[in-house]
Amino acid sequence: MWPYLDRAICATIKSTTKPIFAEYVGKYMIEAIEFEHLTLGTLPPTIHGVKVYETNEKDLVMEPAIRWAGNPNIILVLKLMSLQVKVQLVDLQIFAAPRIALKPLLPTFPCFANIVVSLMERPHVDFGLNILGGDVMSIPGLYRFVQEIIRKQVASLYLWPQSLDIPILDLSTVAVKKPVGILHVKVVRAMKLLKADFLGTSDPYVKLSLNGEKLPAKKTTIKKNNLNPVWNENFKLIVKDPQSQVLQLQVFDWDKVGGHDRLGMQLIPLKILTPHDTKEFTLDLLKHTNISDPQDKKQRGQIVVELTFVPFKEDSAKFNDPLNGGDEKSFEDERLSGAGLLSVIIQGAEDVEGKHHNNPYALVLFRGEKKKTKMIRKTRDPRWNEEFQFTLDQPPLHEKIHIDVMSKRTRFSFRAKETLGHVEINLDDVVHNGRINEKYHLIDSKNGVIHVEIRWDTV
């Protein structure tokens, strides 16, 4: 990579030194300062050890110790009146320990979206200067003065907290989108549905889902022998992108034997909704999503639903929420009351060990609901990175979430499952702070640790 890095670094040097040189033009009879030659040579830097920092965030932070004593060809030309003075850098050596962060980490190659580089301290720069073959550094005091100027210029480029950000992947295409609100759906009723059975009736129910979600669809109750059913049932769906997501409504005829027949369907794009405003829709049911199908002339009945999109508080400004803009105290009060979304991300575990097998998975138990990660075979350090969500009417103050790490044998055995440890996490801090990201020692485990991130988003 060094030949390519050489060109990239030299291009950066030229662009950053141009305004610096411009400051000297007109002073000391200087008419122009230009590079006659600028190449870092053929010898690349060497890395003498790397320090890696462990964080609870989705990033990798490291500090390599870099030394470079290369064979560069750097010649600067100063135009003074009718004279040209050539200055050559010789014996250039640089010692630096930059901090390099790869973030955020993603499940898509190359597995990180950005490289962020910053200098935690000024690099050590050593060099000599020759003018027309003579050593200009023999002039008393000049060596230290010039070296200090160059050190300051180099360090000021990316000395922390300034950083060089290099984008690698487009986050919008690879990152998992964070939930931004809750869609409240009230399935009111349906009218004049198709007769699916020989006896001239149907047993209808409705399935609701948002496109782009892997979660199972919500379902209403079944109304037996009814072509004009009334449900008045309420559902909550997690919204991640209201500009592109669509609510899909499907009406089915329940059948005790075999598959359930679809009586009709409809789609409602969420972008037509105004945040916080409840809107009622009376929709003609279609055979499928191709609305212009000339063969789909059959009357399939209608469905009536009420929709309300409620953004989370911190996302309200994105959707022109007139309620947004309160002070910090009111925001805190809102977080401690009202409905919201509890997101639990099971990142991974370390040093979990079973007596008979090591095929770990995690169980999340909260308010009687049970969620399970995938099982990872033959490892003591599983990485799940799975998210589970719970929609709540009230903040989970004074409540705990229970997480079990289990192992399951992959073939038949009397000892098919065993517990590798568990932890109970108090949710008070999550509600007050909005988020926690911690590693917890597992109870009933010798050295086991589990990494969990929990968020509370209010609506």
Side-chain angles (χ1 to χ4, degrees):
M1 287 182 64
W2 179 242
Y4 301 94
L5 283 170
D6 175 18
R7 291 176 214 159
I9 294 170
C10 289
T12 303
I13 291 172
K14 284 182 178 179
S15 63
T16 52
T17 54
K18 193 173 182 180
I20 298 171
F21 292 164
E23 292 179 10
Y24 290 92
V25 173
K27 299 178 182 178
Y28 314 109
M29 297 182 292
I30 297 174
E31 293 180 353
I33 306 175
E34 300 171 351
F35 284 105
E36 184 177 276
H37 296 287
L38 178 56
T39 174
L40 302 182
T42 58
L43 300 176
T46 54
I47 297 175
H48 297 263
V50 179
K51 185 186 292 183
V52 179
Y53 291 89
E54 183 175 350
T55 72
N56 285 343
E57 303 300 323
K58 293 181 180 179
D59 59 9
L60 172 64
V61 178
M62 52 191 172
E63 289 182 1
I66 297 175
R67 298 179 187 176
W68 181 55
N71 55 345
N73 183 14
I74 303 175
I75 298 178
L76 207 60
V77 178
L78 282 76
K79 296 180 180 178
L80 305 168
M81 303 293 283
S82 59
L83 297 174
Q84 283 195 0
V85 179
K86 293 186 179 181
V87 180
Q88 181 180 25
L89 266 74
V90 294
D91 301 325
L92 180 62
Q93 296 185 61
I94 297 176
F95 302 87
R99 173 166 290 184
I100 301 172
L102 310 180
K103 63 180 185 180
L105 300 180
L106 303 166
T108 304
F109 282 109
C111 298
F112 55 89
N114 295 285
I115 301 174
V116 181
V117 182
S118 57
L119 296 167
M120 304 310 292
E121 57 186 35
R122 290 179 179 175
H124 176 74
V125 182
D126 197 5
F127 59 90
L129 288 178
N130 286 338
I131 293 183
L132 299 175
D135 189 358
V136 75
M137 286 309 167
S138 61
I139 301 174
L142 184 60
Y143 173 78
R144 184 175 295 177
F145 174 72
V146 174
Q147 194 175 56
E148 191 60 30
I149 287 177
I150 291 180
R151 271 210 200 97
K152 285 181 179 177
Q153 293 295 346
V154 171
S156 66
L157 293 178
Y158 303 116
L159 191 62
W160 193 89
Q162 296 182 75
S163 62
L164 172 65
D165 288 13
I166 306 168
I168 304 298
L169 291 177
D170 183 359
L171 270 176
S172 64
T173 60
V174 296
V176 177
K177 289 190 176 179
K178 176 188 169 187
V180 296
I182 294 177
L183 179 68
H184 295 261
V185 182
K186 182 178 182 180
V187 181
V188 182
R189 64 186 183 275
M191 297 90 74
K192 299 179 181 179
L193 294 177
L194 280 179
K195 300 174 183 179
D197 298 337
F198 292 116
L199 300 176
T201 185
S202 292
D203 303 323
Y205 69 93
V206 183
K207 286 175 69 173
L208 312 89
S209 61
L210 287 173
N211 66 317
E213 285 294 335
K214 297 179 182 178
L215 300 172
K218 309 272 188 181
K219 295 179 184 179
T220 67
T221 55
I222 301 165
K223 299 297 181 181
K224 294 291 186 74
N225 302 323
N226 198 333
L227 298 180
N228 297 282
V230 176
W231 286 286
N232 285 322
E233 296 180 21
N234 295 293
F235 302 89
K236 296 174 185 175
L237 302 173
I238 307 302
V239 178
K240 293 183 177 177
D241 188 356
Q243 292 303 309
S244 65
Q245 284 188 291
V246 174
L247 174 67
Q248 180 172 276
L249 301 163
Q250 300 183 85
V251 183
F252 284 90
D253 174 46
W254 180 83
D255 200 336
K256 187 181 292 186
V257 181
H260 301 176
D261 297 325
R262 188 166 72 187
L263 302 177
M265 67 170 298
Q266 256 296 359
L267 302 175
I268 305 176
L270 302 192
K271 63 183 179 182
I272 67 174
L273 301 177
T274 302
H276 301 286
D277 289 350
T278 300
K279 190 169 183 179
E280 183 177 278
F281 295 86
T282 302
L283 305 167
D284 292 327
L285 291 170
L286 307 172
K287 183 178 181 181
H288 45 62
T289 56
N290 187 2
I291 298 174
S292 61
D293 185 357
Q295 297 179 349
D296 191 16
K297 300 292 187 182
K298 186 184 293 186
Q299 295 294 320
R300 296 177 173 272
Q302 294 180 312
I303 186 169
V304 180
V305 293
E306 293 177 3
L307 305 185
T308 312
F309 171 54
V310 183
F312 295 134
K313 292 299 179 184
E314 64 266 34
D315 292 300
S316 292
K318 299 176 189 175
F319 308 107
N320 301 317
D321 180 11
L323 303 179
N324 191 48
D327 58 23
E328 190 172 334
K329 187 176 186 308
S330 65
F331 188 83
E332 174 71 12
D333 293 340
E334 289 163 351
R335 189 183 288 146
L336 299 180
S337 63
L341 177 72
L342 186 71
S343 301
V344 182
I345 301 101
I346 308 296
Q347 304 281 15
E350 300 169 13
D351 295 325
V352 291
E353 185 175 359
K355 294 180 180 178
H356 307 286
H357 39 79
N358 288 299
N359 304 311
Y361 62 96
L363 278 175
V364 180
L365 292 89
F366 180 68
R367 289 189 179 181
E369 283 192 71
K370 185 183 291 187
K371 314 274 190 179
K372 186 168 78 169
T373 69
K374 61 180 176 291
M375 181 189 74
I376 301 179
R377 298 181 60 181
K378 297 181 180 179
T379 180
R380 296 179 182 178
D381 303 299
R383 290 290 175 267
W384 294 295
N385 195 27
E386 292 191 41
E387 182 172 353
F388 306 104
Q389 295 165 341
F390 304 88
T391 51
L392 310 178
D393 293 324
Q394 293 292 330
L397 286 165
H398 315 302
E399 292 190 64
K400 295 181 179 180
I401 196 162
H402 185 95
I403 302 172
D404 284 314
V405 179
M406 309 285 292
S407 177
K408 182 168 64 174
R409 189 177 288 279
T410 54
R411 59 183 185 276
F412 176 78
S413 170
F414 290 109
R415 297 189 182 95
K417 293 181 182 178
E418 60 176 293
T419 303
L420 307 184
H422 69 274
V423 68
E424 283 194 341
I425 302 172
N426 196 317
L427 297 177
D428 279 9
D429 286 344
V430 181
V431 175
H432 283 92
N433 299 322
R435 174 178 178 265
I436 61 169
N437 190 350
E438 299 288 346
K439 288 187 176 182
Y440 299 91
H441 289 281
L442 290 166
I443 301 169
D444 295 335
S445 173
K446 187 177 180 181
N447 300 306
V449 173
I450 188 166
H451 183 183
V452 182
E453 179 184 348
I454 306 178
R455 295 195 309 265
W456 171 245
D457 296 298
T458 56
V459 298

